[in-house]
Amino acid sequence: MLFQLKPINLAEAKAFVKENHRHHPPMNRWKYGIGLIDISTDEAEPPLLGVVVAEPPRARMLNDGYTLELTRVCTVGARNACSILLGAACRTAEGLGYRRVITYTLPEEGGASLRAAGFVQDRHVKAQAWGRPSRPRQSTLSLDLGDKWRWVRHLNQKVRRST
């Protein structure tokens, strides 16, 4: 296989996630998305093999304007596709001026693709409801109430000064 990155829009990303993600529904928030196609085929329109979606962080205390959250990484199982998409999403975030990228995994997910893309496990996030006494809400997803691991990749923000 010969991979190539492809810009995608929200509708394309939602359709792909709806069809292929094993435990999350399509997202509603959006900053940008990147697709991955196989250009070694003879097809006029190469098939989409995976997507990554970036959004502002859902956690209010992490939404500082310099942090981006990757909320969906979804592939059809092509080797190294997740790592390629994660790396591309981080390079894009860095180009846009972000200082760090975060994402979450379920405890049973290993994180090999995240480590390959330069992420480190940041902390264990205990399950808790979104609602608070001062702001009651009900979660629509049962997965929102499960424990997760937060991963982080700090981005290099060196900028050359003109002389």
Side-chain angles (χ1 to χ4, degrees), residues 4-39:
Q4 183 175 319
L5 297 171
K6 173 188 189 243
I8 58 170
N9 61 39
L10 177 59
E12 289 174 295
K14 284 178 95 166
F16 189 85
V17 168
K18 183 177 183 178
E19 184 176 327
N20 296 290
H21 204 286
R22 65 180 181 262
H23 60 78
H24 274 306
M27 55 284 142
N28 291 319
R29 297 163 31 122
W30 177 262
K31 187 60 99 171
Y32 63 84
I34 302 169
L36 187 69
I37 58 175
D38 176 10
I39 59 170

Short mmCIF file of all heavy atoms in Angstrom, two decimals, residues 4-39:
data_model
loop_
_atom_site.label_atom_id
_atom_site.label_comp_id
_atom_site.label_asym_id
_atom_site.label_seq_id
_atom_site.Cartn_x
_atom_site.Cartn_y
_atom_site.Cartn_z
N GLN A 4 -1.45 8.25 1.19
CA GLN A 4 -1.40 9.69 0.98
C GLN A 4 -2.43 10.33 1.89
O GLN A 4 -3.54 9.82 2.04
CB GLN A 4 -1.70 10.03 -0.47
CG GLN A 4 -1.59 11.52 -0.77
CD GLN A 4 -1.78 11.80 -2.25
OE1 GLN A 4 -1.29 11.07 -3.10
NE2 GLN A 4 -2.51 12.84 -2.55
N LEU A 5 -2.06 11.46 2.50
CA LEU A 5 -3.00 12.21 3.32
C LEU A 5 -3.95 12.97 2.42
O LEU A 5 -3.59 13.34 1.29
CB LEU A 5 -2.25 13.17 4.25
CG LEU A 5 -1.32 12.49 5.25
CD1 LEU A 5 -0.47 13.52 5.96
CD2 LEU A 5 -2.10 11.65 6.24
N LYS A 6 -5.14 13.23 2.94
CA LYS A 6 -6.18 13.89 2.13
C LYS A 6 -6.99 14.81 3.04
O LYS A 6 -7.44 14.37 4.12
CB LYS A 6 -7.09 12.83 1.54
CG LYS A 6 -8.30 13.37 0.82
CD LYS A 6 -9.26 12.24 0.43
CE LYS A 6 -10.31 12.80 -0.45
NZ LYS A 6 -11.62 12.79 -0.08
N PRO A 7 -7.19 16.07 2.64
CA PRO A 7 -8.09 16.91 3.45
C PRO A 7 -9.52 16.39 3.33
O PRO A 7 -9.93 15.94 2.26
CB PRO A 7 -7.95 18.30 2.81
CG PRO A 7 -7.31 18.09 1.49
CD PRO A 7 -6.64 16.76 1.50
N ILE A 8 -10.23 16.41 4.43
CA ILE A 8 -11.63 15.97 4.42
C ILE A 8 -12.49 17.01 5.13
O ILE A 8 -11.99 17.83 5.91
CB ILE A 8 -11.82 14.60 5.11
CG1 ILE A 8 -11.31 14.62 6.55
CG2 ILE A 8 -11.13 13.50 4.32
CD1 ILE A 8 -11.68 13.39 7.34
N ASN A 9 -13.77 16.97 4.85
CA ASN A 9 -14.70 17.88 5.53
C ASN A 9 -15.45 17.12 6.62
O ASN A 9 -15.34 15.90 6.75
CB ASN A 9 -15.63 18.56 4.53
CG ASN A 9 -16.50 17.57 3.78
OD1 ASN A 9 -16.97 16.59 4.33
ND2 ASN A 9 -16.70 17.83 2.49
N LEU A 10 -16.25 17.83 7.38
CA LEU A 10 -16.97 17.24 8.50
C LEU A 10 -17.92 16.14 8.04
O LEU A 10 -18.00 15.08 8.67
CB LEU A 10 -17.74 18.32 9.27
CG LEU A 10 -18.60 17.85 10.44
CD1 LEU A 10 -17.78 17.13 11.49
CD2 LEU A 10 -19.33 19.05 11.06
N ALA A 11 -18.63 16.35 6.95
CA ALA A 11 -19.58 15.35 6.47
C ALA A 11 -18.87 14.03 6.11
O ALA A 11 -19.35 12.94 6.45
CB ALA A 11 -20.35 15.88 5.26
N GLU A 12 -17.71 14.12 5.44
CA GLU A 12 -16.95 12.92 5.09
C GLU A 12 -16.47 12.18 6.35
O GLU A 12 -16.56 10.96 6.44
CB GLU A 12 -15.72 13.28 4.26
CG GLU A 12 -16.03 13.73 2.85
CD GLU A 12 -14.77 14.21 2.15
OE1 GLU A 12 -14.19 15.23 2.58
OE2 GLU A 12 -14.36 13.55 1.16
N ALA A 13 -15.96 12.95 7.32
CA ALA A 13 -15.46 12.36 8.55
C ALA A 13 -16.60 11.68 9.32
O ALA A 13 -16.44 10.56 9.81
CB ALA A 13 -14.79 13.42 9.42
N LYS A 14 -17.74 12.35 9.43
CA LYS A 14 -18.87 11.77 10.16
C LYS A 14 -19.34 10.47 9.51
O LYS A 14 -19.62 9.49 10.19
CB LYS A 14 -20.03 12.78 10.22
CG LYS A 14 -19.81 13.89 11.21
CD LYS A 14 -20.94 14.88 11.19
CE LYS A 14 -21.93 14.53 12.26
NZ LYS A 14 -22.88 15.62 12.54
N ALA A 15 -19.43 10.46 8.19
CA ALA A 15 -19.88 9.26 7.49
C ALA A 15 -18.90 8.11 7.71
O ALA A 15 -19.31 6.96 7.95
CB ALA A 15 -20.03 9.55 5.99
N PHE A 16 -17.60 8.39 7.65
CA PHE A 16 -16.60 7.34 7.84
C PHE A 16 -16.65 6.80 9.27
O PHE A 16 -16.61 5.58 9.49
CB PHE A 16 -15.20 7.87 7.51
CG PHE A 16 -14.16 6.79 7.48
CD1 PHE A 16 -13.95 6.04 6.33
CD2 PHE A 16 -13.41 6.48 8.60
CE1 PHE A 16 -13.00 5.03 6.29
CE2 PHE A 16 -12.46 5.48 8.58
CZ PHE A 16 -12.26 4.74 7.42
N VAL A 17 -16.73 7.69 10.26
CA VAL A 17 -16.79 7.27 11.66
C VAL A 17 -18.06 6.46 11.92
O VAL A 17 -18.02 5.43 12.59
CB VAL A 17 -16.68 8.48 12.60
CG1 VAL A 17 -17.03 8.11 14.03
CG2 VAL A 17 -15.28 9.09 12.53
N LYS A 18 -19.17 6.91 11.38
CA LYS A 18 -20.43 6.19 11.58
C LYS A 18 -20.34 4.76 11.07
O LYS A 18 -20.83 3.83 11.69
CB LYS A 18 -21.58 6.93 10.88
CG LYS A 18 -22.92 6.29 11.11
CD LYS A 18 -24.03 7.09 10.46
CE LYS A 18 -25.37 6.45 10.78
NZ LYS A 18 -26.48 7.22 10.22
N GLU A 19 -19.68 4.58 9.95
CA GLU A 19 -19.58 3.26 9.33
C GLU A 19 -18.51 2.38 9.96
O GLU A 19 -18.65 1.16 10.00
CB GLU A 19 -19.30 3.41 7.84
CG GLU A 19 -19.29 2.10 7.09
CD GLU A 19 -19.11 2.29 5.59
OE1 GLU A 19 -19.59 3.30 5.05
OE2 GLU A 19 -18.48 1.41 4.98
N ASN A 20 -17.42 2.98 10.48
CA ASN A 20 -16.25 2.18 10.84
C ASN A 20 -15.80 2.21 12.30
O ASN A 20 -15.00 1.35 12.68
CB ASN A 20 -15.06 2.60 9.97
CG ASN A 20 -15.30 2.32 8.52
OD1 ASN A 20 -15.32 1.17 8.10
ND2 ASN A 20 -15.51 3.36 7.73
N HIS A 21 -16.23 3.18 13.10
CA HIS A 21 -15.71 3.24 14.47
C HIS A 21 -16.37 2.19 15.34
O HIS A 21 -17.57 2.01 15.30
CB HIS A 21 -15.90 4.63 15.08
CG HIS A 21 -14.94 4.91 16.19
ND1 HIS A 21 -15.05 4.35 17.44
CD2 HIS A 21 -13.83 5.69 16.23
CE1 HIS A 21 -14.06 4.77 18.20
NE2 HIS A 21 -13.31 5.58 17.50
N ARG A 22 -15.57 1.49 16.14
CA ARG A 22 -16.09 0.35 16.89
C ARG A 22 -16.87 0.72 18.14
O ARG A 22 -17.62 -0.09 18.65
CB ARG A 22 -14.97 -0.63 17.23
CG ARG A 22 -13.93 -0.10 18.16
CD ARG A 22 -12.85 -1.17 18.42
NE ARG A 22 -11.87 -0.67 19.34
CZ ARG A 22 -10.71 -0.16 18.99
NH1 ARG A 22 -10.38 -0.09 17.73
NH2 ARG A 22 -9.87 0.26 19.90
N HIS A 23 -16.70 1.93 18.69
CA HIS A 23 -17.45 2.24 19.91
C HIS A 23 -17.91 3.68 20.06
O HIS A 23 -18.55 4.01 21.04
CB HIS A 23 -16.68 1.80 21.16
CG HIS A 23 -15.35 2.46 21.32
ND1 HIS A 23 -15.20 3.73 21.77
CD2 HIS A 23 -14.10 1.98 21.08
CE1 HIS A 23 -13.92 4.02 21.82
NE2 HIS A 23 -13.23 2.98 21.40
N HIS A 24 -17.61 4.56 19.12
CA HIS A 24 -18.07 5.95 19.24
C HIS A 24 -18.95 6.33 18.05
O HIS A 24 -18.68 5.93 16.92
CB HIS A 24 -16.89 6.92 19.27
CG HIS A 24 -16.31 7.14 20.63
ND1 HIS A 24 -17.06 7.52 21.71
CD2 HIS A 24 -15.05 7.02 21.09
CE1 HIS A 24 -16.28 7.64 22.76
NE2 HIS A 24 -15.05 7.33 22.41
N PRO A 25 -19.95 7.13 18.30
CA PRO A 25 -20.74 7.67 17.19
C PRO A 25 -19.99 8.83 16.54
O PRO A 25 -18.98 9.30 17.07
CB PRO A 25 -22.01 8.16 17.88
CG PRO A 25 -21.55 8.55 19.25
CD PRO A 25 -20.46 7.56 19.60
N PRO A 26 -20.48 9.36 15.41
CA PRO A 26 -19.85 10.52 14.79
C PRO A 26 -19.85 11.73 15.73
O PRO A 26 -20.71 11.86 16.59
CB PRO A 26 -20.72 10.79 13.56
CG PRO A 26 -21.37 9.49 13.28
CD PRO A 26 -21.57 8.83 14.61
N MET A 27 -18.89 12.60 15.54
CA MET A 27 -18.72 13.77 16.38
C MET A 27 -19.56 14.93 15.86
O MET A 27 -19.96 14.94 14.70
CB MET A 27 -17.26 14.17 16.48
CG MET A 27 -16.57 14.40 15.15
SD MET A 27 -16.18 12.86 14.36
CE MET A 27 -16.51 13.25 12.68
N ASN A 28 -19.77 15.92 16.72
CA ASN A 28 -20.52 17.11 16.31
C ASN A 28 -19.65 18.36 16.30
O ASN A 28 -20.02 19.36 15.71
CB ASN A 28 -21.71 17.34 17.25
CG ASN A 28 -22.76 16.28 17.06
OD1 ASN A 28 -23.04 15.89 15.94
ND2 ASN A 28 -23.32 15.80 18.15
N ARG A 29 -18.52 18.30 17.01
CA ARG A 29 -17.63 19.47 17.05
C ARG A 29 -16.51 19.24 16.03
O ARG A 29 -16.24 18.12 15.63
CB ARG A 29 -17.07 19.63 18.46
CG ARG A 29 -18.15 19.92 19.46
CD ARG A 29 -17.71 19.69 20.90
NE ARG A 29 -16.32 19.92 21.15
CZ ARG A 29 -15.85 20.78 22.04
NH1 ARG A 29 -16.66 21.48 22.78
NH2 ARG A 29 -14.55 20.92 22.21
N TRP A 30 -15.82 20.32 15.65
CA TRP A 30 -14.87 20.20 14.55
C TRP A 30 -13.90 21.37 14.54
O TRP A 30 -14.31 22.52 14.66
CB TRP A 30 -15.67 20.17 13.25
CG TRP A 30 -14.90 20.13 11.98
CD1 TRP A 30 -14.59 21.20 11.18
CD2 TRP A 30 -14.39 18.98 11.31
NE1 TRP A 30 -13.91 20.76 10.07
CE2 TRP A 30 -13.79 19.41 10.12
CE3 TRP A 30 -14.40 17.62 11.60
CZ2 TRP A 30 -13.19 18.53 9.22
CZ3 TRP A 30 -13.81 16.75 10.72
CH2 TRP A 30 -13.21 17.20 9.54
N LYS A 31 -12.65 21.08 14.42
CA LYS A 31 -11.63 22.08 14.12
C LYS A 31 -11.06 21.76 12.75
O LYS A 31 -11.01 22.60 11.88
CB LYS A 31 -10.54 22.06 15.19
CG LYS A 31 -9.52 23.17 15.07
CD LYS A 31 -10.12 24.54 15.17
CE LYS A 31 -9.98 25.12 16.54
NZ LYS A 31 -10.36 26.52 16.60
N TYR A 32 -10.64 20.50 12.57
CA TYR A 32 -10.21 20.02 11.25
C TYR A 32 -10.16 18.50 11.26
O TYR A 32 -10.22 17.87 12.32
CB TYR A 32 -8.86 20.60 10.82
CG TYR A 32 -7.69 20.23 11.69
CD1 TYR A 32 -7.01 19.03 11.50
CD2 TYR A 32 -7.24 21.08 12.69
CE1 TYR A 32 -5.93 18.69 12.29
CE2 TYR A 32 -6.16 20.75 13.49
CZ TYR A 32 -5.51 19.55 13.28
OH TYR A 32 -4.44 19.22 14.07
N GLY A 33 -10.05 17.94 10.09
CA GLY A 33 -9.92 16.50 9.95
C GLY A 33 -8.97 16.17 8.82
O GLY A 33 -8.77 16.97 7.90
N ILE A 34 -8.37 14.98 8.90
CA ILE A 34 -7.44 14.52 7.88
C ILE A 34 -7.82 13.09 7.52
O ILE A 34 -8.09 12.28 8.41
CB ILE A 34 -5.98 14.57 8.39
CG1 ILE A 34 -5.60 16.00 8.81
CG2 ILE A 34 -5.02 14.04 7.32
CD1 ILE A 34 -4.28 16.09 9.56
N GLY A 35 -7.82 12.79 6.24
CA GLY A 35 -8.10 11.44 5.78
C GLY A 35 -6.83 10.79 5.27
O GLY A 35 -5.82 11.45 5.01
N LEU A 36 -6.89 9.48 5.11
CA LEU A 36 -5.77 8.71 4.58
C LEU A 36 -6.32 7.80 3.48
O LEU A 36 -7.31 7.10 3.69
CB LEU A 36 -5.14 7.85 5.69
CG LEU A 36 -3.86 7.12 5.34
CD1 LEU A 36 -2.71 8.11 5.14
CD2 LEU A 36 -3.50 6.12 6.44
N ILE A 37 -5.68 7.87 2.30
CA ILE A 37 -6.13 7.06 1.17
C ILE A 37 -4.98 6.17 0.69
O ILE A 37 -3.82 6.44 0.97
CB ILE A 37 -6.66 7.94 0.01
CG1 ILE A 37 -5.60 8.93 -0.47
CG2 ILE A 37 -7.94 8.66 0.41
CD1 ILE A 37 -5.99 9.75 -1.69
N ASP A 38 -5.34 5.14 -0.04
CA ASP A 38 -4.37 4.23 -0.65
C ASP A 38 -4.26 4.59 -2.13
O ASP A 38 -5.19 4.37 -2.90
CB ASP A 38 -4.84 2.78 -0.49
CG ASP A 38 -3.92 1.78 -1.18
OD1 ASP A 38 -2.83 2.18 -1.63
OD2 ASP A 38 -4.31 0.61 -1.26
N ILE A 39 -3.13 5.17 -2.52
CA ILE A 39 -2.98 5.60 -3.92
C ILE A 39 -2.29 4.53 -4.78
O ILE A 39 -1.98 4.79 -5.94
CB ILE A 39 -2.23 6.95 -4.03
CG1 ILE A 39 -0.84 6.87 -3.40
CG2 ILE A 39 -3.06 8.05 -3.39
CD1 ILE A 39 0.02 8.08 -3.68
#
